Amino acid sequence: MTTAAVQTKDGVSFGPFHLVANERLLTKAGAPVELGARALDLLVVLISAPNEVVSKKDLLSRVWPDVVVEEGSLRFHIASLRKALGDGQDGARYITTLPGRGYCFVASVSRTGGGSDDAPVAAHFPHANLPTRLGRMVGRDDDVLKLSARLNASRFVTVVGAGGVGKTTVAIAVGHHLVDAFSGAVLFVDLGMLGDPGLVTTAMASMLGLSVQSNDATPNLIAYLRDKRILLILDTCEHVVDVVASLAASIIDAAPQVHILATSREALRVESEQIYRLDALAYPPDEPGLTAAMVQAFPATQLFVERAVASGARLDISDAEALLVASICRKLDGVALAIELAARRVESHGLQQTAALLDQRLTLLWLGSRTAPPRQKTLQATLDWSFGLLTELERVVLRRLAVFVGHFTLDAVLEVVTSATLDRATVLGAMDSLVAKSIVATRPIGAMVRYRLLDTTRAYVLDIRIDEAEAADVAVRHAAYYRRWLEQTGIEWPNLATGEERTPHFAAINNVRAALDWCFGTNGNTDIGIGLAVAAAPVFLAMSLLPECHRWSERAIFALDDAALGGLDEMHLQAALGVSLMFTRGGRGAARIALERSFAIAGERGDALDQVHLLGPLNMFHLRTGNFTAALQFARSCSAIAATLEDPVAIALAHAILGISLHLRGDLAEARTELEAALDRGPRSQRTTTIYLGFEGKILARAILARNLWLQGHPDQAMACARQAVEEAAAMDHSLTLAIALVWAISVFLWTGDVRSAEAYIDRLIARAETHSMAPYLLVGRGFRSEVAIRRGDAAAGVEGLRSSLQKLHAAPYELLSTELNLSLAGGLAAIGQVDEAIALIDESLGQVETNGNRLYLPELLRKKASLLLQLPESNRNEARACLMQALELSRSQGARAWELRSAIDMAALMTGTGEIDSARALLQPVFAQFVEGVGTADLKAAEQLLATPR
């Protein structure tokens, strides 16, 4: 019978089975297996693509090419195939069902015959013993090609890498890649099985069938190899490195056709040796927005998924699950052995629990394949093997290095690891050796080489007990070093514009966190911890790590003794605590108390610059809590003090906060002067406001200037300015600054009627606020989203969303945008017929504006009230007209042409409805004529349409 299934000429083996497809023969331990024709066809198709999902549609079309068959028949024959194979019995796994996707052949497959990947046994070299290569090797194709080329060119290459990284797997794959070039003459020597270095030469000679009749088999071995073309793969050389190095050098010199591929955790260091460092598998970065497709493009995650499926797990990777897989692979540093061991746990524990177990503690004792060498059955065994190869001095240095988290510099090593009993020269020598033995990994970051212990290695080393006094001494030096580092580099943080510039700083901040944990832990040193927290606070603010700034500032304040209270350390800590609380939890009393305490200390112990730094946050606090009058007073005080200083950052800050305060009071001309002064290109300073205000003040100034421009009648300039503010904030990659820019930019696009741009910015705001725990900005973003819903016709959902957001913002409290959101809510209420409630809300807002001082919104509130009055069943046109006239007068006094145009449009429409067409035109035309840009914006289009009304 002819079938559409793939027909292979070679035999295929899996478990105890052997399949010869072209003979349609399946045997088990040599005995034929009875199997139906369709079931056999299915097996051929599935086994032709091991570890790959074959869809049901594909199976049906290939096994039943000319017949319409229902899925029930497919399930029946798959069940028959599973039964014949004993799938699921005694732990055997061959075929896995992936619901909704298809079937996958998950057993390890090896091919035999003329076209196989296994090494052909040459007639003149009967000793060929190259192990079967993996059915599918993940992420190493480039390594195999590069190694093959280098081996052909230089004859002697050593693959160097950490334990479990996959050196043996790659070496075997290279052997298969070159097997034809050597006519099958490939000898694989597993030196990991030898405990005595003296047996290396003897073992190799015996594998070649040579008679060994003396203690030194080297001459016989060399004589045999002298005229042979052979590829020798010397696997796992590190524990017998001296003997192997001498032997390999002798063979390369004496046997010109012999090529040697060695694997070792350290180089052999002999002449003519080429080093090929095998890195771990690439894994996804820890970044937001990763999707399943993006995650599965990395070889580490591909390996994890394949091995999990092969072990019987059912994985249908969603975006959420992909993030878990990425996290696991990062935790395991892309080490192939560690990934395979973890993947085997998914079938029994599930993906979530496997990730949780790794987060709690790297499980070094998880079992791997039964056929693996003893040193690779568990991570513990692999690391025991590596640790056993170290000298006592190297072990001491390694144990001290475990204090570091992530990457660290050589300068840090010399400061932290060196002690009275371990001088710098000794430490340098030990570091060189640990790097050479692949125990310590290296990576160039910026202009310097960074070092690190893989997480698996660090977990292993931390389990080795050392003297408590020694451990404490190392921890003290570690914390003290990173305190000095913060004090020296903290000023640089806000000016690091690119990822390349930030990478070394982000690597070091992990050590700051670890040092803080120790300092404030059970046996820590709180004195060092306080200083470290003071140095870390501005860096946490500059990085938008607000919850961490809050946590460590608060811990340090509680640890202050009586002598330290009221000092500069407390001043800095209280300021950092107040700012971080303000931006993460809104304007609660704790934030105000911290900021006021810090300002009081600045008045007693600080200088003028300290006071400016604190007046900025105090101004922001009162703006956010809705006390705009008090905020303006703080802004004016800040401006007065900054004027006495020659500090460009302080001066820019003073202009920015005074500008926003004047803007919200409705003094638009004066506000614009201050905002433009804040953006003026003065002398460049290394500092920015992020180190004490928590965000970049110039970005805020530009975002507020965008609103100011719209209100003054320049809509095109306003939108360009708003976009520029967002772009500059995004370029900083500072989350709080970006959130602030987005908030104010959104209002500009909502005012101009560009709902599509507003929606895009709203989505960005919500995503960033959720990721960085900025609750007030999240609520504002949801409020804006509800306003868009109202504009798009879903008023009921919009009203519900706005009510919820406003309720939570009031509770925070965060009142900076309450009036603006109330205007949106009033419009939504009117749209669902609750006009009376809408009017009551506007009246309440009018009262609050008069009390709080944000008079900017008065004209728009009055205009909105007039619009609502006209919607009542018994509308009061006279009251509505009075509201509109008052709105016109107020907008003109503010210089708010945008508010004036809206009020004029509504008044002209009212007058037109009562037959006063000429008067309406006379009112609207001069207001409309003031605008020389923005013809496509919503309000100008409405005015133009009204002016076109026939007389």
Side-chain angles (χ1 to χ4, degrees):
M1 157 183 161
T2 302
T3 174
V6 174
Q7 300 288 358
T8 61
K9 294 189 298 180
D10 311 326
V12 178
S13 295
F14 55 97
F17 297 95
H18 185 74
L19 171 68
V20 182
N22 63 326
E23 297 180 9
R24 300 187 62 74
L25 176 64
L26 175 68
T27 59
K28 179 178 182 181
V33 177
E34 292 187 10
L35 195 61
R38 296 298 189 188
L40 181 60
D41 290 342
L42 288 169
L43 176 61
V44 171
V45 173
L46 290 170
I47 208 168
S48 67
N51 291 315
E52 294 182 17
V53 179
V54 183
S55 69
K56 295 176 182 178
K57 182 179 179 181
D58 196 19
L59 280 171
L60 290 169
S61 66
R62 295 172 70 181
V63 176
W64 289 274
D66 304 316
V67 182
V68 177
V69 179
E70 295 183 355
E71 282 192 17
S73 294
L74 175 61
R75 289 195 295 270
F76 172 79
H77 289 291
I78 287 286
S80 298
L81 176 58
R82 281 179 165 145
K83 183 177 180 181
L85 297 176
D87 197 357
Q89 298 176 14
D90 300 322
R93 280 287 189 180
Y94 299 107
I95 299 169
T96 293
T97 304
L98 287 86
R101 298 177 63 192
Y103 299 93
C104 179
F105 194 87
V106 296
S108 179
V109 175
S110 61
R111 303 187 186 279
T112 58
S116 78
D117 289 331
D118 291 322
V121 180
H124 66 282
F125 190 73
H127 312 293
N129 66 340
L130 186 60
T132 301
R133 70 182 299 175
L134 289 178
R136 173 170 149 76
M137 185 175 58
V138 178
R140 296 300 191 191
D141 291 344
D142 284 348
D143 294 304
V144 170
L145 293 175
K146 289 176 182 177
L147 274 167
S148 299
R150 192 176 293 189
L151 194 57
N152 280 326
S154 64
R155 291 181 53 224
F156 182 15
V157 179
T158 301
V159 181
V160 177
V165 79
K167 300 184 296 294
T168 300
T169 298
V170 169
I172 292 171
V174 171
H176 283 283
H177 186 71
L178 296 176
V179 69
D180 290 336
F182 284 89
S183 301
V186 180
L187 184 72
F188 181 85
V189 184
D190 183 2
L191 297 172
M193 306 300 290
L194 299 178
D196 183 356
L199 297 177
V200 169
T201 308
T202 301
M204 195 180 307
S206 65
M207 292 177 72
L208 291 168
L210 302 179
S211 176
V212 179
Q213 299 178 0
S214 67
N215 291 331
D216 185 7
T218 304
N220 287 356
L221 183 61
I222 296 294
Y224 174 82
L225 294 172
R226 194 178 304 277
D227 61 350
K228 302 292 193 302
R229 177 172 170 75
I230 295 175
L231 171 59
L232 292 177
I233 300 178
L234 307 180
D235 188 46
T236 315
C237 301
E238 55 268 9
H239 62 304
V240 288
V241 65
D242 292 334
V243 173
V244 174
S246 176
L247 177 61
S250 299
I251 292 172
I252 290 296
D253 287 342
Q257 296 186 78
V258 173
H259 291 58
I260 296 176
L261 178 62
T263 73
S264 177
R265 299 185 192 185
E266 64 176 307
L268 304 187
R269 297 200 299 275
V270 296
E271 191 175 351
S272 76
E273 177 192 28
Q274 294 282 312
I275 306 301
Y276 188 92
R277 184 161 292 279
L278 189 66
D279 294 323
L281 295 171
Y283 49 83
D286 187 8
E287 294 178 355
L290 289 175
T291 65
M294 295 164 64
V295 166
Q296 293 191 77
F298 289 86
T301 50
Q302 291 172 14
L303 177 64
F304 181 90
V305 172
E306 286 196 5
R307 295 299 182 263
V309 171
S311 298
R314 295 186 177 183
L315 283 181
D316 187 9
I317 302 296
S318 64
D319 287 349
E321 289 178 326
L323 294 179
L324 281 175
V325 173
S327 173
I328 290 171
C329 293
R330 278 196 302 272
K331 185 74 173 174
L332 299 174
D333 294 296
V335 175
L337 175 61
I339 290 171
E340 292 193 22
L341 294 175
R344 287 175 176 270
R345 307 279 80 77
V346 176
E347 194 274 335
S348 55
H349 296 310
L351 189 59
Q352 188 89 37
Q353 184 63 23
T354 300
L357 287 171
L358 285 172
D359 285 339
Q360 293 162 14
R361 182 180 183 275
L362 283 171
T363 48
L364 302 178
L365 293 175
W366 277 348
L367 291 174
S369 171
R370 287 188 175 89
T371 60
R375 66 183 181 280
Q376 293 182 353
K377 285 188 181 294
T378 65
L379 285 176
Q380 181 82 36
T382 297
L383 293 165
D384 283 342
W385 173 271
S386 298
F387 197 71
L389 301 175
L390 303 181
T391 66
E392 187 57 37
L393 172 62
E394 290 166 349
R395 293 176 184 180
V396 170
V397 171
L398 180 61
R399 182 60 184 82
R400 294 185 181 184
L401 289 175
V403 74
F404 292 106
V405 178
H407 291 96
F408 50 89
T409 63
L410 187 58
D411 177 61
V413 171
L414 294 175
E415 290 292 324
V416 175
V417 176
T418 302
S419 67
T421 59
L422 209 59
D423 62 30
R424 294 167 70 91
T426 303
V427 171
L428 282 171
M431 282 293 294
D432 286 343
S433 181
L434 290 169
V435 170
K437 293 179 178 180
S438 301
I439 301 297
V440 174
T442 61
R443 177 188 172 192
I445 299 180
M448 294 178 64
V449 171
R450 259 63 178 186
Y451 303 85
R452 70 168 297 206
L453 299 183
L454 299 184
D455 284 351
T456 48
T457 304
R458 184 170 184 266
Y460 175 87
V461 175
L462 286 174
D463 274 344
I464 301 170
R465 296 184 64 83
I466 62 172
D467 180 71
E468 289 185 6
E470 180 189 357
D473 189 41
V474 172
V476 165
R477 291 198 299 273
H478 178 259
Y481 173 82
Y482 281 101
R483 175 183 173 178
R484 292 193 300 274
W485 175 80
L486 284 169
E487 291 169 346
Q488 294 166 6
T489 64
I491 197 171
E492 302 172 5
W493 285 84
N495 300 297
L496 302 173
T498 67
E500 185 177 353
E501 292 174 333
R502 292 173 182 164
T503 298
H505 290 72
F506 277 110
I509 205 67
N510 288 325
N511 283 286
V512 173
R513 293 182 175 110
L516 286 165
D517 273 324
W518 178 80
C519 286
F520 293 107
T522 305
N523 298 313
N525 186 314
T526 54
D527 290 339
I528 294 177
I530 290 167
L532 186 61
V534 170
V539 173
F540 285 139
L541 289 177
M543 294 172 67
S544 253
L545 297 172
L546 301 174
E548 288 189 79
C549 183
H550 165 216
R551 176 189 178 193
W552 294 116
S553 298
E554 189 173 58
R555 290 284 295 274
I557 290 169
F558 287 147
L560 291 170
D561 58 24
D562 291 342
L565 290 174
L568 294 180
D569 279 352
E570 188 193 356
M571 180 190 76
H572 292 301
L573 291 168
Q574 294 283 10
L577 177 62
V579 170
S580 57
L581 281 171
M582 175 171 63
F583 287 117
T584 56
R585 300 188 182 180
R588 294 187 181 276
R592 177 183 56 79
I593 291 169
L595 290 172
E596 290 178 351
R597 170 66 177 167
S598 183
F599 185 59
I601 297 172
E604 296 176 3
R605 302 284 298 275
D607 56 20
L609 188 57
D610 288 328
Q611 293 179 49
V612 169
H613 292 172
L614 283 158
L615 284 165
L618 281 165
N619 164 268
M620 292 306 304
F621 175 84
H622 288 289
L623 286 176
R624 292 162 67 90
T625 54
N627 191 343
F628 301 97
T629 302
L632 180 59
Q633 293 172 355
F634 281 113
R636 292 201 186 282
S637 296
C638 184
S639 181
I641 298 173
T644 67
L645 303 171
E646 295 183 358
D647 186 297
V649 177
I651 293 170
L653 168 65
H655 284 306
I657 64 172
L658 184 54
I660 184 175
S661 298
L662 291 167
H663 169 84
L664 291 168
R665 197 177 73 165
D667 295 336
L668 299 181
E670 192 178 349
R672 183 172 177 179
T673 299
E674 294 293 334
L675 294 168
E676 290 177 340
L679 296 169
D680 185 46
R681 293 180 177 271
R684 180 169 175 79
S685 171
Q686 280 192 303
R687 293 179 296 108
T688 76
T689 59
T690 57
I691 61 176
Y692 48 81
L693 191 58
F695 62 88
E696 176 49 64
K698 287 192 175 184
I699 302 291
L700 170 65
R702 193 176 302 283
I704 298 299
L705 178 60
R707 285 167 48 102
N708 217 80
L709 287 168
W710 183 84
L711 288 162
Q712 288 181 302
H714 309 289
D716 287 346
Q717 294 179 54
M719 289 187 287
C721 188
R723 293 189 192 279
Q724 184 179 354
V726 172
E727 289 169 3
E728 289 178 356
M732 281 183 64
D733 195 19
H734 187 265
S735 294
L736 179 56
T737 301
L738 179 58
I740 288 169
L742 287 167
V743 163
W744 298 114
I746 288 166
S747 62
V748 170
F749 289 105
L750 288 173
W751 286 345
T752 59
D754 185 354
V755 178
R756 179 174 297 179
S757 293
E759 278 187 302
Y761 281 175
I762 289 167
D763 290 342
R764 288 179 69 180
L765 172 63
I766 290 174
R768 191 58 65 110
E770 284 180 330
T771 303
H772 292 273
S773 303
M774 294 183 285
Y777 294 102
L778 177 60
L779 294 170
V780 169
R782 289 172 176 169
F784 280 140
R785 180 177 282 174
S786 298
E787 178 178 348
V788 170
I790 293 171
R791 293 193 184 204
R792 294 203 180 279
D794 192 358
V799 167
E800 183 180 355
L802 274 166
R803 279 176 167 161
S804 175
S805 294
L806 280 163
Q807 181 182 12
K808 293 172 182 176
L809 286 168
H810 295 328
Y814 180 86
E815 305 292 354
L816 192 51
L817 288 153
S818 292
T819 305
E820 194 167 330
L821 294 175
N822 278 339
L823 281 162
S824 301
L825 178 56
L829 289 169
I832 61 174
Q834 298 179 15
V835 179
D836 288 334
E837 186 177 347
I839 292 173
L841 178 62
I842 293 297
D843 285 338
E844 180 184 347
S845 298
L846 284 165
Q848 290 172 345
V849 162
E850 291 288 359
T851 301
N852 297 336
N854 59 329
R855 295 173 57 84
L856 171 70
Y857 295 102
L858 273 176
E860 184 66 354
L861 286 167
L862 289 165
R863 185 191 72 83
K864 177 64 74 173
K865 182 175 181 178
S867 172
L868 294 169
L869 288 169
L870 292 172
Q871 294 182 48
L872 290 173
E874 297 180 0
S875 61
N876 188 329
R877 291 181 180 273
N878 291 333
E879 187 179 354
R881 186 185 290 259
C883 285
L884 288 172
M885 289 303 298
Q886 191 178 356
L888 282 166
E889 291 170 6
L890 282 169
S891 58
R892 287 166 183 160
S893 68
Q894 291 179 352
R897 290 176 178 172
W899 290 157
E900 183 185 3
L901 177 63
R902 286 186 172 183
S903 297
I905 290 171
D906 284 7
M907 178 66 84
L910 178 59
M911 295 169 73
T912 299
T914 58
E916 304 170 73
I917 297 176
D918 290 340
S919 297
R921 186 182 298 276
L923 173 70
L924 181 57
Q925 182 62 50
V927 178
F928 177 73
Q930 295 179 94
F931 289 82
V932 295
E933 61 178 75
V935 293
T937 58
D939 292 337
L940 286 168
K941 287 166 69 175
E944 189 175 30
Q945 184 177 358
L946 189 58
L947 287 170
T949 303
R951 293 174 181 271

Short mmCIF file of all heavy atoms in Angstrom, two decimals, residues 250-273:
data_model
loop_
_atom_site.label_atom_id
_atom_site.label_comp_id
_atom_site.label_asym_id
_atom_site.label_seq_id
_atom_site.Cartn_x
_atom_site.Cartn_y
_atom_site.Cartn_z
N SER A 250 52.11 16.01 22.89
CA SER A 250 52.96 15.00 22.23
C SER A 250 52.29 14.47 20.97
O SER A 250 52.94 14.28 19.94
CB SER A 250 53.26 13.86 23.20
OG SER A 250 53.97 14.32 24.33
N ILE A 251 50.99 14.18 21.05
CA ILE A 251 50.27 13.64 19.89
C ILE A 251 50.25 14.65 18.75
O ILE A 251 50.49 14.30 17.59
CB ILE A 251 48.84 13.23 20.30
CG1 ILE A 251 48.87 12.04 21.26
CG2 ILE A 251 48.00 12.90 19.06
CD1 ILE A 251 47.52 11.69 21.85
N ILE A 252 49.95 15.91 19.04
CA ILE A 252 49.88 16.93 18.00
C ILE A 252 51.23 17.10 17.32
O ILE A 252 51.31 17.27 16.10
CB ILE A 252 49.39 18.26 18.61
CG1 ILE A 252 47.92 18.16 18.99
CG2 ILE A 252 49.60 19.42 17.64
CD1 ILE A 252 46.96 17.94 17.83
N ASP A 253 52.30 17.04 18.08
CA ASP A 253 53.64 17.19 17.49
C ASP A 253 54.02 15.98 16.64
O ASP A 253 54.64 16.13 15.58
CB ASP A 253 54.69 17.36 18.60
CG ASP A 253 54.60 18.73 19.25
OD1 ASP A 253 53.99 19.63 18.65
OD2 ASP A 253 55.13 18.90 20.37
N ALA A 254 53.67 14.77 17.09
CA ALA A 254 54.18 13.55 16.45
C ALA A 254 53.25 13.00 15.38
O ALA A 254 53.71 12.25 14.50
CB ALA A 254 54.45 12.49 17.52
N ALA A 255 51.96 13.30 15.46
CA ALA A 255 50.99 12.70 14.53
C ALA A 255 50.28 13.80 13.76
O ALA A 255 49.25 14.32 14.19
CB ALA A 255 49.99 11.85 15.31
N PRO A 256 50.79 14.17 12.59
CA PRO A 256 50.29 15.36 11.89
C PRO A 256 48.87 15.23 11.34
O PRO A 256 48.28 16.24 10.95
CB PRO A 256 51.30 15.54 10.75
CG PRO A 256 51.92 14.19 10.56
CD PRO A 256 51.94 13.57 11.92
N GLN A 257 48.30 14.01 11.31
CA GLN A 257 46.95 13.87 10.79
C GLN A 257 45.90 13.68 11.89
O GLN A 257 44.72 13.53 11.60
CB GLN A 257 46.88 12.68 9.83
CG GLN A 257 47.72 12.86 8.57
CD GLN A 257 47.50 11.72 7.60
OE1 GLN A 257 46.48 11.69 6.88
NE2 GLN A 257 48.42 10.76 7.58
N VAL A 258 46.36 13.65 13.13
CA VAL A 258 45.44 13.48 14.25
C VAL A 258 44.91 14.85 14.66
O VAL A 258 45.68 15.81 14.79
CB VAL A 258 46.13 12.79 15.43
CG1 VAL A 258 45.20 12.78 16.65
CG2 VAL A 258 46.51 11.36 15.06
N HIS A 259 43.61 14.93 14.86
CA HIS A 259 42.97 16.14 15.37
C HIS A 259 42.42 15.83 16.76
O HIS A 259 41.90 14.72 16.99
CB HIS A 259 41.82 16.59 14.47
CG HIS A 259 42.27 17.10 13.14
ND1 HIS A 259 43.02 16.35 12.25
CD2 HIS A 259 42.07 18.30 12.52
CE1 HIS A 259 43.26 17.06 11.16
NE2 HIS A 259 42.69 18.25 11.30
N ILE A 260 42.54 16.77 17.67
CA ILE A 260 42.08 16.57 19.05
C ILE A 260 41.04 17.62 19.39
O ILE A 260 41.27 18.83 19.23
CB ILE A 260 43.24 16.65 20.05
CG1 ILE A 260 44.25 15.51 19.79
CG2 ILE A 260 42.73 16.57 21.49
CD1 ILE A 260 45.48 15.56 20.68
N LEU A 261 39.91 17.14 19.86
CA LEU A 261 38.87 18.02 20.43
C LEU A 261 38.71 17.63 21.89
O LEU A 261 38.30 16.50 22.20
CB LEU A 261 37.54 17.84 19.69
CG LEU A 261 36.36 18.66 20.22
CD1 LEU A 261 36.65 20.15 20.10
CD2 LEU A 261 35.08 18.30 19.49
N ALA A 262 39.10 18.53 22.79
CA ALA A 262 39.02 18.26 24.22
C ALA A 262 37.90 19.08 24.84
O ALA A 262 37.55 20.15 24.34
CB ALA A 262 40.35 18.58 24.90
N THR A 263 37.31 18.58 25.93
CA THR A 263 36.37 19.37 26.72
C THR A 263 36.89 19.43 28.15
O THR A 263 37.39 18.43 28.68
CB THR A 263 34.95 18.77 26.73
OG1 THR A 263 34.93 17.60 27.54
CG2 THR A 263 34.48 18.42 25.33
N SER A 264 36.81 20.61 28.74
CA SER A 264 37.37 20.78 30.08
C SER A 264 36.79 22.04 30.71
O SER A 264 36.35 22.96 30.01
CB SER A 264 38.90 20.90 29.99
OG SER A 264 39.46 21.13 31.27
N ARG A 265 36.79 22.08 32.02
CA ARG A 265 36.37 23.30 32.71
C ARG A 265 37.49 24.32 32.79
O ARG A 265 37.27 25.45 33.23
CB ARG A 265 35.83 22.95 34.09
CG ARG A 265 34.63 22.03 33.98
CD ARG A 265 33.97 21.73 35.30
NE ARG A 265 33.01 20.63 35.12
CZ ARG A 265 32.21 20.18 36.05
NH1 ARG A 265 32.23 20.72 37.25
NH2 ARG A 265 31.38 19.18 35.80
N GLU A 266 38.71 23.92 32.40
CA GLU A 266 39.80 24.88 32.26
C GLU A 266 40.64 24.47 31.06
O GLU A 266 40.66 23.31 30.64
CB GLU A 266 40.66 24.94 33.52
CG GLU A 266 41.39 23.66 33.84
CD GLU A 266 42.30 23.82 35.05
OE1 GLU A 266 43.12 24.75 35.04
OE2 GLU A 266 42.18 23.02 35.99
N ALA A 267 41.33 25.45 30.49
CA ALA A 267 42.16 25.18 29.32
C ALA A 267 43.33 24.27 29.69
O ALA A 267 43.79 24.24 30.83
CB ALA A 267 42.67 26.50 28.75
N LEU A 268 43.84 23.52 28.69
CA LEU A 268 45.00 22.65 28.91
C LEU A 268 46.28 23.47 28.96
O LEU A 268 47.28 23.05 29.54
CB LEU A 268 45.08 21.60 27.81
CG LEU A 268 43.84 20.71 27.61
CD1 LEU A 268 44.13 19.61 26.61
CD2 LEU A 268 43.37 20.13 28.93
N ARG A 269 46.27 24.63 28.32
CA ARG A 269 47.40 25.57 28.34
C ARG A 269 48.66 24.95 27.77
O ARG A 269 49.72 24.88 28.43
CB ARG A 269 47.65 26.12 29.74
CG ARG A 269 46.49 26.93 30.31
CD ARG A 269 46.93 27.84 31.45
NE ARG A 269 47.49 27.11 32.56
CZ ARG A 269 46.77 26.57 33.55
NH1 ARG A 269 45.46 26.69 33.54
NH2 ARG A 269 47.36 25.94 34.54
N VAL A 270 48.57 24.48 26.55
CA VAL A 270 49.74 23.98 25.84
C VAL A 270 49.82 24.67 24.49
O VAL A 270 48.83 25.21 23.98
CB VAL A 270 49.68 22.45 25.64
CG1 VAL A 270 49.72 21.73 26.97
CG2 VAL A 270 48.45 22.03 24.84
N GLU A 271 51.01 24.65 23.89
CA GLU A 271 51.22 25.30 22.62
C GLU A 271 50.35 24.65 21.55
O GLU A 271 50.13 23.43 21.55
CB GLU A 271 52.70 25.20 22.24
CG GLU A 271 53.08 26.08 21.06
CD GLU A 271 54.58 26.05 20.79
OE1 GLU A 271 55.32 25.48 21.61
OE2 GLU A 271 54.98 26.58 19.75
N SER A 272 49.86 25.45 20.64
CA SER A 272 49.02 25.07 19.50
C SER A 272 47.56 24.83 19.88
O SER A 272 46.72 24.61 19.02
CB SER A 272 49.56 23.83 18.77
OG SER A 272 49.30 22.64 19.49
N GLU A 273 47.24 24.89 21.18
CA GLU A 273 45.84 24.71 21.60
C GLU A 273 45.03 25.96 21.27
O GLU A 273 45.46 27.09 21.53
CB GLU A 273 45.79 24.44 23.10
CG GLU A 273 44.38 24.32 23.67
CD GLU A 273 44.35 24.35 25.20
OE1 GLU A 273 45.27 24.98 25.79
OE2 GLU A 273 43.44 23.76 25.79
#
